[in-house]
Amino acid sequence: MQLSSRLRRSDLVEFFSQAGRVRDAHIVSEKGSRRSRGVAYVEFYAVESAVQARTLSGQRLLDVPIIVQPSEAEKNRKSTMRQYNASGAPVNAPAEENCLVVVRELLVDIAPVDIQRLFDLFGTVEHCRVAPAEGDVKEPEWTAYVRFSTHAAARRAVEKLSGLALFGTKLRVRMARKSEQERELRRISEKAAIGVGSPMDITPKAESTAEPKPELTVESNVDPAQTCTVLLLKNMVNPEEETEDNWRDELGQDVKGECDKFGAISRVFVDHNNPCDIYVEFADASSATYAQQSMNGRWFGGRQITAFSATMSQHSEDSSLLKNVDCGTPEQSYNSTLEREFEVHDIGNLVEVGDLEPAFSFRKLLRFAGPGFAMSIAYLDPGNICSDLHCGAVAGYKLIWLLFLTHALGLYVQTLSARIGIVTGRNLAQHCHEQYARSIRIPLWLVCELAIIGSDIQESIGTAIALYLLFGVQIWAGILVAALLSYVILGIQRFGARKVEALFIAMIAIMCACFGVEVFMSSPDVREITKGLLIPRIPASATVQAVGIVGAVIMPHNLFLHSALVGTRRIKRAADVRHASIREANFYTTLESGVALLFSFAINATIMIVFADIYSRGNSAKSVHMAEQHLPGLVEAADLLRGAFGDLGPLLWAIGLLSSGQSSTATGTMAGQYLMEGMMRLRASPWLRLFISRSTSLVPTMLVGVLFTSRLDQFDEWLNVLQSLALPFALIPTLKLAQSSHVMSEFAVGPRWRAFGWLAAAVIIALNVYLLLPLIVDLASYGVAAACMALALLGMYLLFVYILVASKVE
């Protein structure tokens, strides 16, 4: 057998996860060589998984056919067992695997048939029992015992259902203890002996606690395949509580909006005998099955749904909820109150990415293109431009390597953020709401909102300066105009996600053109640029600028934004294609993000190079000394460009700055929308969110624009430092979620990338502390009280970071 030379351990684990949970995998290599000998060993947790893995023989792993067979150890174990069985000697057989699951703290006396329906999704259930909880309990509680046919199925149920919200409380699901196993086996045996039931009995005589279902009958002229494509949703609505005349139309759009993510929908109907029941017909059976598994037990508009597979023998055309809506069109718009009950607003509608492709497809890449470029806008905001300007003036070409490194680190963390959204279908803010207690969640939200407001101030000032350079508008008036222009850009969202993404790409193209022309006009020293890119060095006078690069480039709110933007792509999540679809989406999203950040790095580098070249002309030492004494601002930069390149220089600078300010304002508003709705469940329309964001930041922005006009750029530099201080509060939750197998299952990051991420987080925190120490020393000169207050703030900062690191992800 020959394995691919590109094969890695993670590829083995991912491939054989189809058969069951993998304990370990190992590739045999030649001594002193990395070349594979074509042999690999895979160990499973369950024997059944090893048996199932043999069926994968003949399939292709990285385009190479493989042969799967038992290892010598497994063959020896089977041979020994056969010898013992033939001789009749006692066998020290392994202990029976634990297949019993215990569900504790049920606050509702739910019937065993309902429990069995929930756990049937993970494997064959042999026995199910619900009994009152034992011991002292403050209020009535029940405990459920569910026995599966295999240990692997039981383990999957524990991993997937633990923490699931059911009847308003989170399930506490665990594997049974030995005493509990023995007691349940004894109870099953006693029942079987007296003829009450059998080990396979699911207590059918118990009455369900769910609402009674309408009788569903399959008509003789109905295609049997239809039973797999229709979903019945019970308890969706109570017509007696509806007061609006068009409630049926709104409900139809809401149902379609929620079920659209599972696959194409043909029709949505209401049961004319029971208006509380809704029928949803999918185009294929796999979509209906996945929708049933996902929708059952969820809350919708304050009501808990029960989902069944059914036929539509009880509907009529007159009862259709969507008479004038083509359900088969994925781009059909929907936006209503019920939809917002559990999902954050999307930018427009979902974008179809098509079927799986066996090889790389440029057309498929274009379908995924968009979220990465929208994310990269935050790397090109006026704060970044000001940071590049200062770095070029103070350090010349010496910090280009740090700019590249921060973009590479940005690609890493943005990839983690995007994968969280792709794999789980939920954005980072929603996960933070679920994982952290209110005492942690509120300060986390406030810090991230403060960072967004700081970024908004930078963007407003940058836009105002661009308007001043182009039309002579005063700074305070430019700030007001910038606020109005934000509403115009936000209005494009009404035309769909692709239109917004196209606008962002166009603005990036404008910045590339404007700043690119300037770098060609400057004729920089290519040799010095290469040295600045390849040789790491930080001048002593550029420490603040170096830390500012980290805060300006990697912005905390951008992690929340990217994890939500990837949700605009419709990924097939049916059980048979889910793994391959998510893996494909991860690949194309990472590739698109890398291309977008490459453009971002090029634009930031051109700005740094242009001003490094301007300050290096003539007496280099004198120019750098002047830059250290008084850093050039965005307005002064235009004068420098006029002196170097004539009137064309400041014109290109102003156009690029205007594109940067307006595009970053739009992405900042969207990030704040996702953050507020996901983390705090404070729902507001994008227009209201923009109004709140602008109103909150307008007052300090106006004060800065009127009172501190001569110090706009120093103020902007410290806002970059604020972004760096806030970055750990978004980075740490991202790292913890991305490495959690409970959240990401088989897509959790490996040990090496995990170590790299935590090392990067530690470096950022250390840089922040290093930056704060001189400030604390300066405050100490004002007295002991000021010094103690500064130290207390630093201690609170580090304590909150520790709490985030120590918090467990479930």
Side-chain angles (χ1 to χ4, degrees), residues 702-745:
M702 289 294 292
L703 290 175
V704 172
V706 174
L707 302 178
F708 303 98
T709 306
S710 60
R711 295 183 176 272
L712 287 179
D713 302 289
Q714 286 80 358
F715 190 77
D716 191 73
E717 184 176 333
W718 281 104
L719 286 176
N720 286 337
V721 175
L722 170 64
Q723 302 293 332
S724 180
L725 292 173
L727 181 57
F729 302 112
L731 180 58
I732 292 174
T734 301
L735 292 174
K736 292 188 71 66
L737 288 167
Q739 74 182 26
S740 172
S741 59
H742 298 288
V743 176
M744 301 290 288
S745 62

mmCIF file of all heavy atoms in Angstrom, residues 702-745:
data_model
loop_
_atom_site.group_PDB
_atom_site.id
_atom_site.type_symbol
_atom_site.label_atom_id
_atom_site.label_comp_id
_atom_site.label_asym_id
_atom_site.label_seq_id
_atom_site.Cartn_x
_atom_site.Cartn_y
_atom_site.Cartn_z
ATOM 1 N N MET A 702 -16.690 65.275 17.741
ATOM 2 C CA MET A 702 -16.822 66.722 17.538
ATOM 3 C C MET A 702 -15.902 67.497 18.475
ATOM 4 O O MET A 702 -15.303 68.504 18.082
ATOM 5 C CB MET A 702 -18.275 67.131 17.755
ATOM 6 C CG MET A 702 -19.226 66.658 16.663
ATOM 7 S SD MET A 702 -18.911 67.436 15.075
ATOM 8 C CE MET A 702 -19.409 69.119 15.432
ATOM 9 N N LEU A 703 -15.799 67.031 19.740
ATOM 10 C CA LEU A 703 -14.902 67.710 20.674
ATOM 11 C C LEU A 703 -13.460 67.651 20.185
ATOM 12 O O LEU A 703 -12.735 68.652 20.232
ATOM 13 C CB LEU A 703 -15.020 67.066 22.058
ATOM 14 C CG LEU A 703 -16.333 67.311 22.810
ATOM 15 C CD1 LEU A 703 -16.354 66.521 24.118
ATOM 16 C CD2 LEU A 703 -16.526 68.791 23.089
ATOM 17 N N VAL A 704 -13.057 66.480 19.713
ATOM 18 C CA VAL A 704 -11.695 66.347 19.191
ATOM 19 C C VAL A 704 -11.513 67.216 17.953
ATOM 20 O O VAL A 704 -10.493 67.889 17.780
ATOM 21 C CB VAL A 704 -11.390 64.863 18.871
ATOM 22 C CG1 VAL A 704 -10.056 64.731 18.156
ATOM 23 C CG2 VAL A 704 -11.368 64.049 20.148
ATOM 24 N N GLY A 705 -12.542 67.200 17.050
ATOM 25 C CA GLY A 705 -12.425 67.950 15.810
ATOM 26 C C GLY A 705 -12.399 69.457 16.009
ATOM 27 O O GLY A 705 -11.806 70.182 15.203
ATOM 28 N N VAL A 706 -13.031 69.953 17.079
ATOM 29 C CA VAL A 706 -13.099 71.393 17.312
ATOM 30 C C VAL A 706 -11.975 71.884 18.231
ATOM 31 O O VAL A 706 -11.328 72.900 17.964
ATOM 32 C CB VAL A 706 -14.476 71.776 17.904
ATOM 33 C CG1 VAL A 706 -14.510 73.255 18.290
ATOM 34 C CG2 VAL A 706 -15.577 71.475 16.905
ATOM 35 N N LEU A 707 -11.749 71.133 19.331
ATOM 36 C CA LEU A 707 -10.820 71.616 20.352
ATOM 37 C C LEU A 707 -9.386 71.138 20.154
ATOM 38 O O LEU A 707 -8.457 71.784 20.645
ATOM 39 C CB LEU A 707 -11.316 71.178 21.740
ATOM 40 C CG LEU A 707 -12.719 71.651 22.130
ATOM 41 C CD1 LEU A 707 -13.096 71.114 23.503
ATOM 42 C CD2 LEU A 707 -12.800 73.181 22.109
ATOM 43 N N PHE A 708 -9.210 69.997 19.476
ATOM 44 C CA PHE A 708 -7.866 69.436 19.378
ATOM 45 C C PHE A 708 -7.472 69.235 17.911
ATOM 46 O O PHE A 708 -6.919 68.205 17.545
ATOM 47 C CB PHE A 708 -7.796 68.103 20.122
ATOM 48 C CG PHE A 708 -8.185 68.189 21.571
ATOM 49 C CD1 PHE A 708 -9.466 67.842 21.980
ATOM 50 C CD2 PHE A 708 -7.290 68.663 22.519
ATOM 51 C CE1 PHE A 708 -9.837 67.930 23.308
ATOM 52 C CE2 PHE A 708 -7.662 68.752 23.849
ATOM 53 C CZ PHE A 708 -8.939 68.392 24.253
ATOM 54 N N THR A 709 -7.795 70.221 17.086
ATOM 55 C CA THR A 709 -7.509 70.087 15.661
ATOM 56 C C THR A 709 -6.023 69.897 15.399
ATOM 57 O O THR A 709 -5.619 69.136 14.508
ATOM 58 C CB THR A 709 -8.010 71.338 14.909
ATOM 59 O OG1 THR A 709 -9.395 71.539 15.211
ATOM 60 C CG2 THR A 709 -7.834 71.176 13.411
ATOM 61 N N SER A 710 -5.182 70.541 16.175
ATOM 62 C CA SER A 710 -3.740 70.441 15.960
ATOM 63 C C SER A 710 -3.164 69.124 16.464
ATOM 64 O O SER A 710 -2.009 68.810 16.179
ATOM 65 C CB SER A 710 -3.025 71.607 16.666
ATOM 66 O OG SER A 710 -3.282 71.575 18.068
ATOM 67 N N ARG A 711 -3.954 68.368 17.216
ATOM 68 C CA ARG A 711 -3.446 67.107 17.777
ATOM 69 C C ARG A 711 -4.295 65.907 17.337
ATOM 70 O O ARG A 711 -4.383 64.918 18.041
ATOM 71 C CB ARG A 711 -3.421 67.182 19.307
ATOM 72 C CG ARG A 711 -2.460 68.216 19.848
ATOM 73 C CD ARG A 711 -2.424 68.210 21.364
ATOM 74 N NE ARG A 711 -1.433 69.125 21.873
ATOM 75 C CZ ARG A 711 -0.159 68.810 22.088
ATOM 76 N NH1 ARG A 711 0.264 67.582 21.822
ATOM 77 N NH2 ARG A 711 0.685 69.706 22.549
ATOM 78 N N LEU A 712 -4.909 66.033 16.173
ATOM 79 C CA LEU A 712 -5.752 64.940 15.691
ATOM 80 C C LEU A 712 -4.976 63.649 15.534
ATOM 81 O O LEU A 712 -5.452 62.559 15.872
ATOM 82 C CB LEU A 712 -6.396 65.333 14.357
ATOM 83 C CG LEU A 712 -7.526 66.369 14.413
ATOM 84 C CD1 LEU A 712 -8.025 66.659 13.006
ATOM 85 C CD2 LEU A 712 -8.672 65.859 15.273
ATOM 86 N N ASP A 713 -3.773 63.747 15.024
ATOM 87 C CA ASP A 713 -3.029 62.536 14.696
ATOM 88 C C ASP A 713 -2.430 61.878 15.936
ATOM 89 O O ASP A 713 -2.333 60.656 15.997
ATOM 90 C CB ASP A 713 -1.928 62.871 13.690
ATOM 91 C CG ASP A 713 -2.517 63.494 12.421
ATOM 92 O OD1 ASP A 713 -3.161 62.755 11.666
ATOM 93 O OD2 ASP A 713 -2.358 64.704 12.230
ATOM 94 N N GLN A 714 -2.007 62.678 16.940
ATOM 95 C CA GLN A 714 -1.564 62.073 18.188
ATOM 96 C C GLN A 714 -2.728 61.359 18.872
ATOM 97 O O GLN A 714 -2.561 60.278 19.441
ATOM 98 C CB GLN A 714 -0.986 63.150 19.121
ATOM 99 C CG GLN A 714 0.382 63.654 18.717
ATOM 100 C CD GLN A 714 0.318 64.687 17.605
ATOM 101 O OE1 GLN A 714 -0.770 64.994 17.125
ATOM 102 N NE2 GLN A 714 1.466 65.203 17.185
ATOM 103 N N PHE A 715 -3.897 61.975 18.803
ATOM 104 C CA PHE A 715 -5.091 61.346 19.351
ATOM 105 C C PHE A 715 -5.393 60.043 18.608
ATOM 106 O O PHE A 715 -5.758 59.032 19.211
ATOM 107 C CB PHE A 715 -6.267 62.321 19.238
ATOM 108 C CG PHE A 715 -7.494 61.880 19.974
ATOM 109 C CD1 PHE A 715 -7.580 62.002 21.349
ATOM 110 C CD2 PHE A 715 -8.564 61.351 19.291
ATOM 111 C CE1 PHE A 715 -8.719 61.608 22.021
ATOM 112 C CE2 PHE A 715 -9.706 60.942 19.954
ATOM 113 C CZ PHE A 715 -9.782 61.076 21.331
ATOM 114 N N ASP A 716 -5.230 60.062 17.305
ATOM 115 C CA ASP A 716 -5.471 58.878 16.485
ATOM 116 C C ASP A 716 -4.496 57.761 16.841
ATOM 117 O O ASP A 716 -4.859 56.585 16.867
ATOM 118 C CB ASP A 716 -5.331 59.246 15.006
ATOM 119 C CG ASP A 716 -5.818 58.152 14.092
ATOM 120 O OD1 ASP A 716 -7.028 57.954 13.995
ATOM 121 O OD2 ASP A 716 -4.968 57.477 13.483
ATOM 122 N N GLU A 717 -3.260 58.127 17.141
ATOM 123 C CA GLU A 717 -2.253 57.119 17.503
ATOM 124 C C GLU A 717 -2.617 56.406 18.804
ATOM 125 O O GLU A 717 -2.495 55.179 18.912
ATOM 126 C CB GLU A 717 -0.888 57.793 17.630
ATOM 127 C CG GLU A 717 0.241 56.822 17.915
ATOM 128 C CD GLU A 717 1.582 57.530 17.940
ATOM 129 O OE1 GLU A 717 1.711 58.569 17.280
ATOM 130 O OE2 GLU A 717 2.489 57.039 18.635
ATOM 131 N N TRP A 718 -3.127 57.139 19.788
ATOM 132 C CA TRP A 718 -3.509 56.504 21.048
ATOM 133 C C TRP A 718 -4.796 55.688 20.904
ATOM 134 O O TRP A 718 -5.017 54.730 21.641
ATOM 135 C CB TRP A 718 -3.655 57.568 22.139
ATOM 136 C CG TRP A 718 -2.318 57.989 22.671
ATOM 137 C CD1 TRP A 718 -1.640 59.136 22.406
ATOM 138 C CD2 TRP A 718 -1.485 57.214 23.525
ATOM 139 N NE1 TRP A 718 -0.428 59.139 23.039
ATOM 140 C CE2 TRP A 718 -0.301 57.972 23.744
ATOM 141 C CE3 TRP A 718 -1.592 55.969 24.131
ATOM 142 C CZ2 TRP A 718 0.741 57.520 24.533
ATOM 143 C CZ3 TRP A 718 -0.552 55.511 24.925
ATOM 144 C CH2 TRP A 718 0.591 56.276 25.120
ATOM 145 N N LEU A 719 -5.631 56.032 19.942
ATOM 146 C CA LEU A 719 -6.786 55.181 19.653
ATOM 147 C C LEU A 719 -6.332 53.834 19.092
ATOM 148 O O LEU A 719 -6.961 52.799 19.347
ATOM 149 C CB LEU A 719 -7.728 55.880 18.667
ATOM 150 C CG LEU A 719 -8.560 57.034 19.238
ATOM 151 C CD1 LEU A 719 -9.382 57.692 18.131
ATOM 152 C CD2 LEU A 719 -9.482 56.540 20.346
ATOM 153 N N ASN A 720 -5.240 53.831 18.322
ATOM 154 C CA ASN A 720 -4.676 52.561 17.860
ATOM 155 C C ASN A 720 -4.191 51.720 19.032
ATOM 156 O O ASN A 720 -4.331 50.491 19.047
ATOM 157 C CB ASN A 720 -3.516 52.818 16.893
ATOM 158 C CG ASN A 720 -3.988 53.279 15.529
ATOM 159 O OD1 ASN A 720 -5.130 53.026 15.148
ATOM 160 N ND2 ASN A 720 -3.115 53.956 14.802
ATOM 161 N N VAL A 721 -3.591 52.392 20.021
ATOM 162 C CA VAL A 721 -3.145 51.672 21.217
ATOM 163 C C VAL A 721 -4.358 51.099 21.960
ATOM 164 O O VAL A 721 -4.304 49.981 22.497
ATOM 165 C CB VAL A 721 -2.329 52.615 22.131
ATOM 166 C CG1 VAL A 721 -1.973 51.911 23.434
ATOM 167 C CG2 VAL A 721 -1.064 53.071 21.416
ATOM 168 N N LEU A 722 -5.475 51.842 21.983
ATOM 169 C CA LEU A 722 -6.704 51.331 22.599
ATOM 170 C C LEU A 722 -7.158 50.047 21.906
ATOM 171 O O LEU A 722 -7.582 49.092 22.572
ATOM 172 C CB LEU A 722 -7.806 52.396 22.517
ATOM 173 C CG LEU A 722 -9.220 51.940 22.907
ATOM 174 C CD1 LEU A 722 -9.266 51.544 24.381
ATOM 175 C CD2 LEU A 722 -10.238 53.036 22.617
ATOM 176 N N GLN A 723 -7.066 49.996 20.584
ATOM 177 C CA GLN A 723 -7.428 48.778 19.855
ATOM 178 C C GLN A 723 -6.537 47.617 20.275
ATOM 179 O O GLN A 723 -6.998 46.471 20.429
ATOM 180 C CB GLN A 723 -7.298 49.007 18.343
ATOM 181 C CG GLN A 723 -8.133 50.140 17.785
ATOM 182 C CD GLN A 723 -9.616 49.865 17.862
ATOM 183 O OE1 GLN A 723 -10.055 48.726 17.842
ATOM 184 N NE2 GLN A 723 -10.403 50.921 17.966
ATOM 185 N N SER A 724 -5.251 47.884 20.467
ATOM 186 C CA SER A 724 -4.332 46.833 20.894
ATOM 187 C C SER A 724 -4.669 46.335 22.296
ATOM 188 O O SER A 724 -4.609 45.133 22.573
ATOM 189 C CB SER A 724 -2.890 47.357 20.855
ATOM 190 O OG SER A 724 -1.978 46.354 21.256
ATOM 191 N N LEU A 725 -5.059 47.255 23.199
ATOM 192 C CA LEU A 725 -5.433 46.851 24.554
ATOM 193 C C LEU A 725 -6.704 46.007 24.558
ATOM 194 O O LEU A 725 -6.855 45.088 25.373
ATOM 195 C CB LEU A 725 -5.634 48.095 25.425
ATOM 196 C CG LEU A 725 -4.384 48.919 25.758
ATOM 197 C CD1 LEU A 725 -4.769 50.194 26.474
ATOM 198 C CD2 LEU A 725 -3.417 48.108 26.608
ATOM 199 N N ALA A 726 -7.636 46.299 23.648
ATOM 200 C CA ALA A 726 -8.898 45.561 23.596
ATOM 201 C C ALA A 726 -8.797 44.253 22.828
ATOM 202 O O ALA A 726 -9.682 43.398 22.946
ATOM 203 C CB ALA A 726 -9.988 46.439 22.969
ATOM 204 N N LEU A 727 -7.731 44.087 22.041
ATOM 205 C CA LEU A 727 -7.613 42.904 21.182
ATOM 206 C C LEU A 727 -7.677 41.575 21.935
ATOM 207 O O LEU A 727 -8.351 40.636 21.475
ATOM 208 C CB LEU A 727 -6.320 42.997 20.361
ATOM 209 C CG LEU A 727 -6.049 41.846 19.393
ATOM 210 C CD1 LEU A 727 -7.195 41.672 18.414
ATOM 211 C CD2 LEU A 727 -4.730 42.088 18.648
ATOM 212 N N PRO A 728 -7.014 41.404 23.097
ATOM 213 C CA PRO A 728 -7.096 40.111 23.795
ATOM 214 C C PRO A 728 -8.518 39.696 24.161
ATOM 215 O O PRO A 728 -8.812 38.502 24.250
ATOM 216 C CB PRO A 728 -6.246 40.328 25.057
ATOM 217 C CG PRO A 728 -5.295 41.410 24.691
ATOM 218 C CD PRO A 728 -6.065 42.313 23.774
ATOM 219 N N PHE A 729 -9.430 40.654 24.329
ATOM 220 C CA PHE A 729 -10.782 40.320 24.746
ATOM 221 C C PHE A 729 -11.613 39.731 23.603
ATOM 222 O O PHE A 729 -12.691 39.185 23.841
ATOM 223 C CB PHE A 729 -11.469 41.555 25.322
ATOM 224 C CG PHE A 729 -10.741 42.140 26.489
ATOM 225 C CD1 PHE A 729 -10.113 43.371 26.405
ATOM 226 C CD2 PHE A 729 -10.647 41.437 27.682
ATOM 227 C CE1 PHE A 729 -9.419 43.898 27.484
ATOM 228 C CE2 PHE A 729 -9.956 41.956 28.765
ATOM 229 C CZ PHE A 729 -9.334 43.184 28.663
ATOM 230 N N ALA A 730 -11.141 39.855 22.395
ATOM 231 C CA ALA A 730 -11.766 39.159 21.267
ATOM 232 C C ALA A 730 -10.932 37.964 20.840
ATOM 233 O O ALA A 730 -11.467 36.943 20.397
ATOM 234 C CB ALA A 730 -11.943 40.113 20.084
ATOM 235 N N LEU A 731 -9.612 38.064 20.992
ATOM 236 C CA LEU A 731 -8.723 36.995 20.546
ATOM 237 C C LEU A 731 -8.825 35.758 21.434
ATOM 238 O O LEU A 731 -8.849 34.619 20.929
ATOM 239 C CB LEU A 731 -7.277 37.514 20.519
ATOM 240 C CG LEU A 731 -6.193 36.534 20.077
ATOM 241 C CD1 LEU A 731 -6.480 35.998 18.685
ATOM 242 C CD2 LEU A 731 -4.825 37.198 20.128
ATOM 243 N N ILE A 732 -8.890 35.953 22.746
ATOM 244 C CA ILE A 732 -8.927 34.803 23.663
ATOM 245 C C ILE A 732 -10.192 33.964 23.467
ATOM 246 O O ILE A 732 -10.106 32.733 23.356
ATOM 247 C CB ILE A 732 -8.774 35.283 25.123
ATOM 248 C CG1 ILE A 732 -7.363 35.832 25.349
ATOM 249 C CG2 ILE A 732 -9.055 34.139 26.105
ATOM 250 C CD1 ILE A 732 -7.149 36.470 26.704
ATOM 251 N N PRO A 733 -11.403 34.551 23.410
ATOM 252 C CA PRO A 733 -12.579 33.710 23.111
ATOM 253 C C PRO A 733 -12.477 32.993 21.769
ATOM 254 O O PRO A 733 -12.917 31.836 21.638
ATOM 255 C CB PRO A 733 -13.739 34.713 23.116
ATOM 256 C CG PRO A 733 -13.280 35.823 23.989
ATOM 257 C CD PRO A 733 -11.808 35.928 23.734
ATOM 258 N N THR A 734 -11.884 33.644 20.778
ATOM 259 C CA THR A 734 -11.718 33.000 19.469
ATOM 260 C C THR A 734 -10.818 31.774 19.582
ATOM 261 O O THR A 734 -11.133 30.706 19.032
ATOM 262 C CB THR A 734 -11.120 33.997 18.466
ATOM 263 O OG1 THR A 734 -11.978 35.135 18.352
ATOM 264 C CG2 THR A 734 -10.965 33.361 17.095
ATOM 265 N N LEU A 735 -9.706 31.901 20.278
ATOM 266 C CA LEU A 735 -8.780 30.778 20.433
ATOM 267 C C LEU A 735 -9.428 29.638 21.202
ATOM 268 O O LEU A 735 -9.281 28.463 20.828
ATOM 269 C CB LEU A 735 -7.507 31.244 21.141
ATOM 270 C CG LEU A 735 -6.594 32.204 20.367
ATOM 271 C CD1 LEU A 735 -5.461 32.692 21.257
ATOM 272 C CD2 LEU A 735 -6.032 31.540 19.119
ATOM 273 N N LYS A 736 -10.136 29.955 22.269
ATOM 274 C CA LYS A 736 -10.733 28.897 23.094
ATOM 275 C C LYS A 736 -11.833 28.157 22.340
ATOM 276 O O LYS A 736 -11.971 26.943 22.469
ATOM 277 C CB LYS A 736 -11.262 29.496 24.402
ATOM 278 C CG LYS A 736 -10.168 29.998 25.332
ATOM 279 C CD LYS A 736 -10.720 30.409 26.679
ATOM 280 C CE LYS A 736 -11.155 29.219 27.497
ATOM 281 N NZ LYS A 736 -10.054 28.343 27.887
ATOM 282 N N LEU A 737 -12.630 28.876 21.570
ATOM 283 C CA LEU A 737 -13.683 28.218 20.804
ATOM 284 C C LEU A 737 -13.102 27.384 19.665
ATOM 285 O O LEU A 737 -13.561 26.270 19.404
ATOM 286 C CB LEU A 737 -14.638 29.269 20.236
ATOM 287 C CG LEU A 737 -15.562 29.962 21.240
ATOM 288 C CD1 LEU A 737 -16.212 31.182 20.623
ATOM 289 C CD2 LEU A 737 -16.624 28.996 21.749
ATOM 290 N N ALA A 738 -12.087 27.915 18.993
ATOM 291 C CA ALA A 738 -11.524 27.211 17.836
ATOM 292 C C ALA A 738 -10.802 25.931 18.239
ATOM 293 O O ALA A 738 -10.720 24.994 17.440
ATOM 294 C CB ALA A 738 -10.557 28.130 17.081
ATOM 295 N N GLN A 739 -10.291 25.854 19.455
ATOM 296 C CA GLN A 739 -9.574 24.659 19.878
ATOM 297 C C GLN A 739 -10.473 23.665 20.605
ATOM 298 O O GLN A 739 -10.039 22.564 20.942
ATOM 299 C CB GLN A 739 -8.423 25.050 20.804
ATOM 300 C CG GLN A 739 -8.866 25.474 22.203
ATOM 301 C CD GLN A 739 -7.708 25.888 23.081
ATOM 302 O OE1 GLN A 739 -6.681 26.324 22.613
ATOM 303 N NE2 GLN A 739 -7.883 25.742 24.380
ATOM 304 N N SER A 740 -11.735 24.023 20.830
ATOM 305 C CA SER A 740 -12.645 23.162 21.579
ATOM 306 C C SER A 740 -13.277 22.119 20.657
ATOM 307 O O SER A 740 -13.950 22.461 19.685
ATOM 308 C CB SER A 740 -13.734 24.004 22.240
ATOM 309 O OG SER A 740 -14.726 23.178 22.807
ATOM 310 N N SER A 741 -13.094 20.862 20.987
ATOM 311 C CA SER A 741 -13.728 19.792 20.219
ATOM 312 C C SER A 741 -15.229 19.746 20.483
ATOM 313 O O SER A 741 -15.990 19.238 19.665
ATOM 314 C CB SER A 741 -13.095 18.445 20.575
ATOM 315 O OG SER A 741 -13.232 18.174 21.967
ATOM 316 N N HIS A 742 -15.677 20.278 21.627
ATOM 317 C CA HIS A 742 -17.110 20.328 21.918
ATOM 318 C C HIS A 742 -17.829 21.273 20.956
ATOM 319 O O HIS A 742 -18.968 21.031 20.583
ATOM 320 C CB HIS A 742 -17.350 20.785 23.356
ATOM 321 C CG HIS A 742 -16.779 19.872 24.388
ATOM 322 N ND1 HIS A 742 -17.312 18.638 24.659
ATOM 323 C CD2 HIS A 742 -15.707 20.001 25.207
ATOM 324 C CE1 HIS A 742 -16.590 18.044 25.600
ATOM 325 N NE2 HIS A 742 -15.623 18.853 25.947
ATOM 326 N N VAL A 743 -17.147 22.341 20.576
ATOM 327 C CA VAL A 743 -17.752 23.333 19.684
ATOM 328 C C VAL A 743 -17.462 23.015 18.224
ATOM 329 O O VAL A 743 -18.353 23.041 17.376
ATOM 330 C CB VAL A 743 -17.237 24.748 20.032
ATOM 331 C CG1 VAL A 743 -17.781 25.779 19.057
ATOM 332 C CG2 VAL A 743 -17.614 25.122 21.452
ATOM 333 N N MET A 744 -16.207 22.681 17.925
ATOM 334 C CA MET A 744 -15.770 22.519 16.534
ATOM 335 C C MET A 744 -15.721 21.064 16.086
ATOM 336 O O MET A 744 -15.410 20.802 14.919
ATOM 337 C CB MET A 744 -14.386 23.155 16.374
ATOM 338 C CG MET A 744 -14.333 24.634 16.719
ATOM 339 S SD MET A 744 -15.201 25.651 15.528
ATOM 340 C CE MET A 744 -14.083 25.550 14.140
ATOM 341 N N SER A 745 -15.971 20.132 16.999
ATOM 342 C CA SER A 745 -15.915 18.687 16.705
ATOM 343 C C SER A 745 -14.589 18.355 16.015
ATOM 344 O O SER A 745 -13.532 18.700 16.513
ATOM 345 C CB SER A 745 -17.129 18.262 15.876
ATOM 346 O OG SER A 745 -17.152 18.928 14.626
#
